[in-house]
Amino acid sequence: MHRIRLQFVTGLVLFILPVFFSKYIWSSPGFSLMAAGWFFFSGYLLYSYFIAPLERFSVLMPEVKEAPHFMEFIRETGTRLEELRNTARRAIKEKEEMASILFSMVEGVVTTDSGGRISFMNPAAERLFNLEHGSALGKFPREVWREFELVELFHQVFVTGKPQSKELNLDPPLRKYLSLELVPIRAAEYEETRGVLAVVRDLTRLRHLENMRTEFVANVSHELRTPLTSVKGFIETLLDGGLENMEATKRFLTIIYQETDRLNRLINDLLDLSRLESGETELKRARVFLAPLVEEVRQTLQNRLTEKNLSFSVELGPTAVWADEDRIREVLVNLLDNAVKYTPDGGSIKVSEVDHGDMQEFIICDTGFGIPRESIPRLFERFYRVDKARSREMGGTGLGLSIVKHIIDRHEGKVWVQSELGKGSCFHFMLPKFQQE
């Protein structure tokens, strides 16, 4: 840079030097003095606004500092500026890509700055914690969350500089089970902590499925143990001398048969439900009319309808659906069988339909006992019973409605129930219509 400075000063002196000899050319010496002052002032301005910035620029870029002359310096500076511009473009692009990745992540990402305030929170984290967009930025964790354990995790990682992992069960209104991984933000391994990075995963559904699996195993064990215990007890009674009483023997064998039949139904329902859930059973979809299927099921239930003096009405038109006939028959058997079971003597059952464009809604209503409001959300769960004693007494396995839901779901349909205690129930399910093309 000193070479360029020397070149500039030398050039300026050679440029101004003729002015001092102008008194020999021009008759007015004042003009020469004025011209000299003007050129000195111009040189000062050129140096201040041109050479000085170049000197400061050369300090920032040592690789162009040793340029031998001015034009080479300018070329080197231009090349370096273009490199810096490209580097800036790449940095901006990488930043945008990183931001898009963070915003697209399923896991929540939260970071704090060196002051302990939240500096970034992606949309997934805002959804997990039910926060408005941008409402947490610039705040301390204790101002955002009321859970002490969560706030303390950020504090411990920031103070100790050690990673932390924890699973938290958030209290209402969130009611979520979260997994958190927190690590300190550092430029190097042994440098001071500059903030905290937290990755949050929602384990609510996983924990719910684990609980369902545990409940399922417990329910299956209970459902199998109850009839087996009964069968074993009656067999022991018969072996201990009960065979001598023919009337008692007949009664005991009848009960054993009923319990064995119940076990058989339970095992068949379990196998059927397992196949539906695993997707192993392929649907054989075709053009199906529900009116003939309802009539078939009604005939199988006719004796029970007559015993309980139940009226049965059907209001179905000629609309065909795109479905697996055997599976839909199974749906009707489960729903109509439940309607007959839980409708008191003298009641009524009605089957109707509603047109919904590409879908057809079918409704099975009864005048039975009804379902409590708090039980409706769990009604289609496996082994869930509104009245366990009455259900077992009537021979239910607790899997019928769960099988119904899986079958309708496999048909891209929907099933739900409307009910009120003492006023009966209406089970609704929708199926896609058959399209001729």
Side-chain angles (χ1 to χ4, degrees), residues 415-435:
V415 61
W416 70 98
V417 63
Q418 294 175 325
S419 183
E420 189 175 345
L421 276 176
K423 296 185 179 181
S425 305
C426 286
F427 284 83
H428 305 248
F429 64 93
M430 296 181 72
L431 293 171
K433 287 182 181 179
F434 174 78
Q435 305 293 338

Side-chain angles (χ1 to χ4, degrees), residues 215-232:
E215 291 177 5
F216 177 73
V217 173
N219 286 327
V220 169
S221 301
H222 179 74
E223 294 293 335
L224 292 174
R225 183 175 58 187
T226 301
L228 286 174
T229 302
S230 179
V231 169
K232 181 182 178 182

Side-chain angles (χ1 to χ4, degrees), residues 395-408:
T397 63
L399 295 173
L401 291 180
S402 183
I403 291 173
V404 166
K405 185 178 187 308
H406 278 85
I407 291 175
I408 299 300

Side-chain angles (χ1 to χ4, degrees), residues 216 219-220 223 265-274 276-277 330 334 338 379-385 391 396-406:
F216 177 73
N219 286 327
V220 169
E223 294 293 335
R265 289 198 309 274
L266 176 61
I267 292 170
N268 286 335
D269 284 348
L270 283 171
L271 292 173
D272 201 8
L273 184 60
S274 176
L276 286 169
E277 288 182 340
E330 192 174 356
N334 277 300
N338 283 345
L379 196 62
F380 294 96
E381 292 182 11
R382 294 171 293 186
F383 293 112
Y384 183 80
R385 293 184 175 93
S391 178
T397 63
L399 295 173
L401 291 180
S402 183
I403 291 173
V404 166
K405 185 178 187 308
H406 278 85

Side-chain angles (χ1 to χ4, degrees), residues 169-188:
N169 190 7
L170 300 185
D171 297 327
L174 293 178
R175 292 184 180 276
K176 291 182 179 178
Y177 203 93
L178 303 179
S179 169
L180 291 99
E181 300 282 343
L182 294 92
V183 295
I185 300 175
R186 296 190 183 100

Side-chain angles (χ1 to χ4, degrees), residues 50-288:
F50 183 70
I51 296 297
L54 288 178
E55 288 181 341
R56 291 194 293 269
F57 186 77
S58 67
V59 173
L60 299 176
M61 293 194 303
E63 57 269 28
V64 300
K65 192 172 183 179
E66 300 303 325
H69 52 79
F70 179 75
M71 293 305 296
E72 186 173 345
F73 178 84
I74 293 298
R75 284 195 298 270
E76 290 290 339
T77 301
T79 303
R80 182 58 179 162
L81 284 175
E82 186 63 29
E83 291 176 358
L84 290 175
R85 190 180 294 111
N86 293 334
T87 302
R89 289 198 193 102
R90 288 194 297 269
I92 293 172
K93 185 178 180 181
E94 290 174 0
K95 183 179 179 181
E96 291 175 349
E97 290 177 351
M98 183 61 66
S100 64
I101 291 172
L102 291 174
F103 275 92
S104 303
M105 286 180 64
V106 177
E107 293 84 1
V109 178
V110 183
T111 62
T112 62
D113 56 23
S114 57
R117 298 177 184 271
I118 295 175
S119 58
F120 176 81
M121 182 179 289
N122 70 344
E126 292 174 335
R127 287 192 297 269
L128 286 175
F129 294 110
N130 197 23
L131 299 172
E132 293 184 5
H133 179 64
S135 62
L137 298 180
K139 296 181 181 179
F140 291 104
R142 65 175 180 272
E143 298 175 303
V144 179
W145 300 293
R146 65 180 183 179
E147 287 78 9
F148 173 78
E149 287 183 277
L150 181 56
V151 175
E152 186 64 16
L153 279 174
F154 279 90
H155 178 70
Q156 289 296 325
V157 174
F158 187 80
V159 172
T160 63
K162 296 180 180 179
Q164 297 277 353
S165 300
K166 196 170 184 65
E167 293 184 358
L168 295 179
N169 190 7
L170 300 185
D171 297 327
L174 293 178
R175 292 184 180 276
K176 291 182 179 178
Y177 203 93
L178 303 179
S179 169
L180 291 99
E181 300 282 343
L182 294 92
V183 295
I185 300 175
R186 296 190 183 100
E189 184 176 358
Y190 298 104
E191 284 196 6
E192 185 179 352
T193 301
R194 298 182 180 180
V196 177
L197 168 66
V199 178
V200 188
R201 297 178 179 86
D202 189 358
L203 301 181
T204 306
R205 177 172 172 77
L206 180 61
R207 290 291 177 266
H208 178 66
L209 292 175
E210 289 178 352
N211 292 335
M212 286 182 61
R213 181 183 63 183
T214 303
E215 291 177 5
F216 177 73
V217 173
N219 286 327
V220 169
S221 301
H222 179 74
E223 294 293 335
L224 292 174
R225 183 175 58 187
T226 301
L228 286 174
T229 302
S230 179
V231 169
K232 181 182 178 182
F234 285 117
I235 291 176
E236 288 177 349
T237 303
L238 292 173
L239 291 175
D240 288 340
L243 289 170
E244 297 175 1
N245 188 336
M246 293 303 298
E247 185 178 347
T249 299
K250 185 176 180 181
R251 187 174 74 252
F252 290 167
L253 289 175
T254 301
I255 296 173
I256 290 173
Y257 175 80
Q258 292 172 348
E259 294 296 338
T260 305
D261 186 54
R262 179 183 166 192
L263 275 174
N264 187 56
R265 289 198 309 274
L266 176 61
I267 292 170
N268 286 335
D269 284 348
L270 283 171
L271 292 173
D272 201 8
L273 184 60
S274 176
R275 285 192 292 266
L276 286 169
E277 288 182 340
S278 64
E280 294 177 1
T281 305
E282 185 176 347
L283 296 179
K284 300 176 181 178
R285 302 178 79 162
R287 186 181 185 183
V288 177

